[in-house]
Structures are given as structure tokens and as C-alpha cells.
Amino acid sequence: MGTSKSGPKAEVLTVEDCWKYLASSYIGRLAVINGTTPEIFPVNFVPVERTLVFRTAPGTKLRSLLAGTPVALEADGLNLYATEVWSVVVKGIPALISDGDVNFEMAGPDREPWEPGLKEHLIQIRPTEVTGRRFAVHARTRWWPPLDFSSEWT
């Protein structure tokens, strides 16, 4: 057997650092259980008073959220020079809320959904667990995709 090179170890983030990274992001992947099937959806979220809030429309995502099963939301990013990346996972229980129940002034600027259409249901995830890690990466050219890789697939 050959020996493998041991690279830099991932740094486990404190809960405080996790919330700082979440505040710097607004796009995440929401994992829900739809019956017995896992589903993942991109969402635009806003951290508000140590919870995550987002809007959604009727459909699979909303039905899964209203089932009362735990969910997970992951957000990640990288530093300005693409030499360090981070990932934060929030696990929790989703709940439907009304507009007046959340202090959006604490969330900073409005963050609009990417997808057009009416998103009339406001969901709040109350965390049961917040974890994250940060680590250095190799040169960007080894893992970064082309800016528009779809043109290379045609």
C-alpha cells in the first residue's frame, strides 16, 4: 500500500463563526424528506435572530416542510482569493410563520428570490444544530469549473 499525503485539516467552526458566515451568504440548499424520498432545493434565505427565514410557493417543498420532519440547510462560500472555503449546515424544524412574527430589520437588506413568481409562504427554520468547517484548498484551477461550462457540453 502506498502512503497518502495528508493535506491541511478542516477547522471546525464555532457556532458564532457559523452565524457570521450565514450572515454573509443568502443562497443555500435545503434538504427535505418528501414522503420517503430526499429532495434538495436551492433557496434564498435570511438569517434572523438565530433562525433562517425564506419564502416559498405551494408545491413539493412546501408540503415537505409542513409535514413537520426535520430539515437541513447548507450554505457555503470561499474567500476573496479562493484559497479557503467554508461550509455551514443548519439542522432544524421548519414552521410556517406570518410576516409580523419576524423582525426583518435585523436581517439587513432585502433579498429577493431568484425564481420569479409569487412566494406567499414564509418559512422559518429553528435550529437544533449548527455546524461548520473551513479549510484551505489547492490552486483554484484544479477544482474551479469554467465560468460557463454549459457551452462546452454542446
Side-chain angles (χ1 to χ4, degrees):
M1 258 194 200
T3 59
S4 64
K5 293 183 180 179
S6 178
K9 301 289 185 219
E11 174 188 355
V12 175
L13 298 173
T14 66
V15 172
E16 202 61 41
D17 284 339
C18 289
W19 283 107
K20 287 178 185 175
Y21 281 120
L22 289 169
S24 74
S25 185
Y26 63 96
I27 302 164
R29 288 162 302 283
L30 176 71
V32 300
I33 299 297
N34 177 24
T36 60
T37 305
E39 304 275 359
I40 298 176
F41 300 93
V43 293
N44 303 86
F45 67 90
V46 177
V48 179
E49 299 177 333
R50 298 284 174 123
T51 68
L52 298 178
V53 177
F54 61 93
R55 291 193 174 278
T56 191
T60 301
K61 183 185 346 168
L62 181 61
R63 278 192 309 276
S64 300
L65 290 163
L66 296 179
T69 56
V71 299
L73 186 139
E74 180 189 31
D76 46 38
L78 49 99
N79 69 355
L80 184 61
Y81 303 106
T83 57
E84 187 176 81
V85 297
W86 59 267
S87 175
V88 173
V89 175
V90 176
K91 296 176 185 175
I93 306 299
L96 191 60
I97 58 174
S98 64
D99 287 327
D101 290 342
V102 176
N103 180 2
F104 282 106
E105 291 177 13
M106 295 188 70
D110 282 343
R111 295 176 179 175
E112 294 295 322
W114 281 356
E115 188 177 55
L118 184 60
K119 309 275 194 260
E120 59 193 16
H121 301 283
L122 191 62
I123 302 293
Q124 183 175 46
I125 299 174
R126 295 193 180 277
T128 55
E129 183 179 359
V130 178
T131 60
R133 61 190 189 124
R134 174 176 49 217
F135 53 93
V137 294
H138 294 286
R140 182 174 97 121
T141 55
R142 292 190 61 197
W143 58 271
W144 197 269
L147 292 178
D148 183 10
F149 62 88
S150 62
S151 64
E152 294 181 12
W153 291 49
T154 56

